[in-house]
Amino acid sequence: MNQKIALITGANRGLGRNGALKLAARGTDIILTYRSHADEAQSVVKEIEALGARAVALALDVGETGQFDAFVAQVRQVLQQHWQCERFDYLVNNAGHGHYKPFTDTTEQEFDALVNVHFKGPYFLTQKLLPLINDGGRILNISSGLTRLVYPGSSTYAAMKGAMEVLTRYQAKELGARRIRVNILAPGAIETDFGGGRVRDTKEINDQIAGLTALGRVGLPDDIGDAISAILSEETGWITAQRIEASGGQAI
C-alpha cells in the first residue's frame, strides 16, 4: 500500500493543525503551509513526527496567486526529497481569516482580501496542484456554517464560502474522470483563536451558540479534525460533491 500524503494549507494553528494531527495519527504524512509564524509550523511538524508520520512545512500566502508557481515547484521538490515520489493524495484548502463587519461598512479593500484568500486563492492553487494529485485522490475545501445560518457581520466571509460550495460541485463533476472526490466541510462555531478567539473566549457568544445547538455545546477543534480525517478516509470513497456540516446541530 502506498504511503498517503496530505497537503493542508494554513495548518500551523487552529483547525488546520488539528486536522493535520488527526490525519497523522492515522498514518498519513503531511505537507503543511503557513503564512507567518514559522515557529508554530515547525512545532506542528514535531508533533506529527512524534505520532510516527513525516511532515514538511512550507511558507505560502494563499491570497497571493503570484507565489503559486514557485510553491508548486517547492512541493515537487519535497515530494522527491522526502518521499521519492511525484504526487500526493489529499489537498485540504483550509487557510483563511475571519471578517466581522456589517455589509454596509465593508470596504472594497476588505472585500478583495477575502476574495483572494477564500475564493481566488483556493481556486487557482487547486488548479496549479492538480498535476501533482494522484488519480483517486481527494480534495476537501473548508466552508462555514455561516453559508446556511445568518450571523450579522459575516456577509462577506459567508459569501466567499458560498462560492466555494458551488465550486466544489463543479470540481467534483469535472475531476470525476480521474476518480478525485471533492467535498466541502462546513464547521459550525468552534472554540479556536479564529476571529481573535471570540467564540472561545467570549462567554456570552459561547453560551448563546451552545443554547442554539442540538448537542448543547460549542464545537471543539477535535470535532473538526476528526471530520477532516473521516472525510478523507478510504471508507468515504463513495461520497463526492457534498457539503458536509459539522456543527453539532447548530440552529436547526
Side-chain angles (χ1 to χ4, degrees):
M1 182 178 177
N2 292 333
Q3 175 61 41
K4 300 297 185 183
I5 305 168
L7 193 161
I8 308 175
T9 64
N12 57 300
R13 60 170 63 186
L15 301 183
R17 170 186 173 275
N18 196 275
L21 294 175
K22 294 291 186 177
L23 284 166
R26 286 195 176 199
T28 300
D29 291 342
I30 307 293
I31 300 171
L32 63 102
T33 80
Y34 63 96
R35 186 179 65 85
S36 55
H37 302 288
D39 56 332
E40 291 180 349
Q42 290 305 318
S43 177
V44 177
V45 167
K46 291 178 181 177
E47 289 182 86
I48 290 168
E49 290 173 343
L51 292 168
R54 287 181 287 178
V56 175
L58 300 176
L60 176 69
D61 185 342
V62 173
E64 294 291 340
T65 56
Q67 296 182 8
F68 290 177
D69 285 337
F71 175 74
V72 172
Q74 271 192 301
V75 173
R76 287 184 189 274
Q77 185 178 37
V78 299
L79 285 171
Q80 193 61 244
Q81 287 180 347
H82 293 266
W83 288 276
Q84 293 75 54
C85 67
E86 297 179 351
R87 293 184 175 190
F88 63 95
D89 302 280
Y90 311 136
L91 171 62
V92 183
N93 286 307
N94 166 77
H97 63 276
H99 177 74
Y100 305 98
K101 186 177 283 190
F103 164 75
T104 52
D105 299 342
T106 298
T107 67
E108 186 173 354
Q109 183 179 16
E110 290 167 335
F111 180 93
D112 287 345
L114 286 161
V115 169
N116 290 340
V117 171
H118 291 281
F119 186 55
K120 182 180 178 181
Y123 188 108
F124 288 104
L125 181 62
T126 302
Q127 187 187 83
K128 298 272 188 181
L129 286 170
L130 274 175
L132 303 187
I133 299 177
N134 276 317
D135 290 353
R138 311 274 199 275
I139 296 170
L140 180 61
N141 299 316
I142 304 298
S143 180
S144 168
L146 292 166
T147 62
R148 177 180 64 82
L149 53 95
V150 173
Y151 196 89
S154 296
S155 65
T156 314
Y157 174 80
M160 304 310 156
K161 294 301 190 181
M164 285 302 298
E165 292 184 6
V166 173
L167 176 63
T168 294
R169 296 196 297 274
Y170 278 85
Q171 289 174 328
K173 183 68 172 179
E174 295 187 17
L175 301 179
R178 290 184 53 193
R179 295 176 289 106
I180 294 175
R181 287 78 157 178
V182 189
N183 293 292
I184 189 159
L185 176 65
I190 308 294
E191 292 186 1
T192 69
D193 57 5
F194 191 80
R198 52 188 284 149
V199 171
R200 180 192 60 206
D201 301 333
T202 308
K203 187 176 187 304
E204 293 79 10
I205 294 176
N206 195 292
D207 288 347
Q208 179 191 33
I209 293 168
L212 292 172
T213 302
L215 295 182
R217 64 170 174 82
V218 171
L220 301 173
D222 278 349
D223 296 320
I224 306 306
D226 283 333
I228 291 171
S229 179
I231 293 167
L232 294 177
S233 71
E234 294 303 309
E235 290 85 355
T236 59
W238 198 235
I239 298 174
T240 194
Q242 300 304 304
R243 177 192 187 272
I244 301 163
E245 184 170 306
S247 68
Q250 186 177 337
I252 55 173

